[in-house]
Amino acid sequence: METKDNTLHAIGFYSDIKKSGRAEYKVEGIYDVTFNYTTVEVTKKTFNEFTFDVKKQLIGERRAKKGKDLKPFYKNISFVERDNGGVIVLSEYKVIIEGRSSGFGPLSITPYTYITNEIIVTALKKDGTLDWSNVIPKEQQVTVSELGFSFGLFGGSGGVSVSAGFYFPLTVLGSGPEYLSAIPIYHNGQLTVIVNDDPKNIGITSMDDVRKVRNVNKMIPVAFSFNEQTRELTRDDPSEFKKKQIVVRPATKYSKTSNNYLIYGGNKKGSSLGELILK
């Protein structure tokens, strides 16, 4: 990500190294390599291990004290430039599980389960060192089915035979993945993250207490905000909501200004284009 003062940040996950030279299976932290466009050189290489507080929320206090690392199921979904020239990294737990296919003849149906859970929020300073970090608690899961068409080709000559198979996805039955993940908004030095959650989680900010949301039609929009100085997390829930209300699709958005977004949402009755304004 390019930030102020002609600086480029190359950010990603890193792991420890085995004696054989290969990387460990689990993720240890986030690195940030900064480049200066003017001098065309690397200015700093920083490796920030996940803090004890973050690990405690994700893998438990006992394992965190033993120095255990996180499983590599996190994906960096967003990089946000801070007013001080640093970068905020949003790393979301994301897994896609492919089920067993079934069908008749060339047509097959394959279930896919999408899981997008907690988000690790890492705030880096201008030089790439860690400023603060925290965790957005959420558990989202939906399952859809993919209808596909497949056929095979077979041939042979003498003692040699050759076979080939082709698969073409036709359509997705059901909805769900487009309602997962989050919308990060950075305005006036404060990060706010919009996610869809279950009404049963209203007021909950602890990973241990959060309930998994599975039904898209029951989702409500929730805003998590962070204090830049204290890293304190606050949660804002809608004061009013109704069953089968329009649910926001985080994957479809357009930023007009730092606090004004065009958003897209829908439910069983249809889809709608709207505007999200953060005051």
Side-chain angles (χ1 to χ4, degrees):
M1 180 179 183
E2 182 182 359
T3 58
K4 302 174 183 178
D5 302 327
N6 294 323
T7 301
L8 176 67
H9 293 255
I11 302 171
F13 299 114
Y14 73 91
S15 302
D16 200 358
I17 302 295
K18 299 179 180 179
K19 292 182 179 180
S20 62
R22 296 183 178 182
E24 293 280 359
Y25 169 72
K26 296 186 177 181
V27 178
E28 187 171 343
I30 290 180
Y31 70 83
D32 185 357
V33 181
T34 56
F35 301 84
N36 186 292
Y37 281 146
T38 304
T39 60
V40 194
E41 65 178 357
V42 175
T43 55
K44 192 169 185 179
K45 300 178 182 179
T46 308
F47 294 85
N48 303 292
E49 184 177 358
F50 291 122
T51 64
F52 172 79
D53 289 338
V54 167
K55 290 184 177 180
K56 178 182 176 180
Q57 295 183 67
L58 302 181
I59 61 177
E61 183 176 2
R62 182 177 62 85
R63 301 190 68 210
K65 286 182 177 179
K66 291 184 178 181
K68 300 294 183 179
D69 294 322
L70 306 182
K71 293 183 178 180
F73 298 146
Y74 292 89
K75 178 181 179 181
N76 290 331
I77 60 171
S78 184
F79 300 99
V80 180
E81 181 178 3
R82 305 172 68 186
D83 290 342
N84 60 10
V87 178
I88 295 178
V89 187
L90 272 66
S91 309
E92 184 177 54
Y93 181 98
K94 186 173 183 178
V95 174
I96 302 176
I97 302 174
E98 180 179 352
R100 180 176 297 180
S101 300
S102 62
F104 301 93
L107 294 177
S108 64
I109 296 179
T110 306
Y112 288 88
T113 298
Y114 293 80
I115 301 173
T116 55
N117 290 347
E118 69 275 358
I119 299 176
I120 303 173
V121 181
T122 305
L124 303 176
K125 298 179 182 178
K126 182 178 179 180
D127 62 356
T129 56
L130 179 66
D131 191 357
W132 56 265
S133 59
N134 210 327
V135 177
I136 295 176
K138 72 178 182 73
E139 290 191 15
Q140 302 170 323
Q141 178 178 316
V142 296
T143 300
V144 298
S145 298
E146 181 182 85
L147 178 64
F149 177 83
S150 60
F151 66 93
L153 299 176
F154 302 91
S157 176
V160 179
S161 61
V162 178
S163 63
F166 298 90
Y167 174 78
F168 300 94
L170 300 177
T171 187
V172 175
L173 307 176
S175 61
E178 63 271 24
Y179 296 99
L180 307 183
S181 199
I183 301 177
I185 303 173
Y186 189 77
H187 180 63
N188 289 338
Q190 176 175 289
L191 174 68
T192 301
V193 181
I194 308 296
V195 303
N196 290 318
D197 205 355
D198 193 292
K200 295 179 181 179
N201 289 326
I202 287 180
I204 293 178
T205 57
S206 172
M207 278 296 302
D208 295 332
D209 301 327
V210 70
R211 297 186 182 185
K212 184 176 295 184
V213 54
R214 301 173 184 267
N215 191 333
V216 171
N217 298 314
K218 292 184 178 180
M219 290 180 174
I220 60 173
V222 176
F224 290 95
S225 300
F226 293 87
N227 186 302
E228 278 278 62
Q229 283 70 43
T230 65
R231 79 173 182 87
E232 181 182 359
L233 170 67
T234 58
R235 173 180 179 138
D236 292 315
D237 297 290
S239 57
E240 296 181 2
F241 60 90
K242 57 184 179 180
K243 292 183 179 180
K244 299 181 180 179
Q245 68 175 28
I246 292 179
V247 184
V248 178
R249 299 179 181 179
T252 308
K253 59 184 180 295
Y254 174 76
S255 175
K256 295 174 63 177
T257 62
S258 63
N259 67 328
N260 193 317
Y261 280 70
L262 292 179
I263 57 175
Y264 193 62
N267 55 20
K268 286 186 176 181
K269 294 182 180 180
S271 300
S272 301
L273 183 67
E275 189 172 16
L276 172 65
I277 301 175
L278 184 68
K279 296 181 179 180

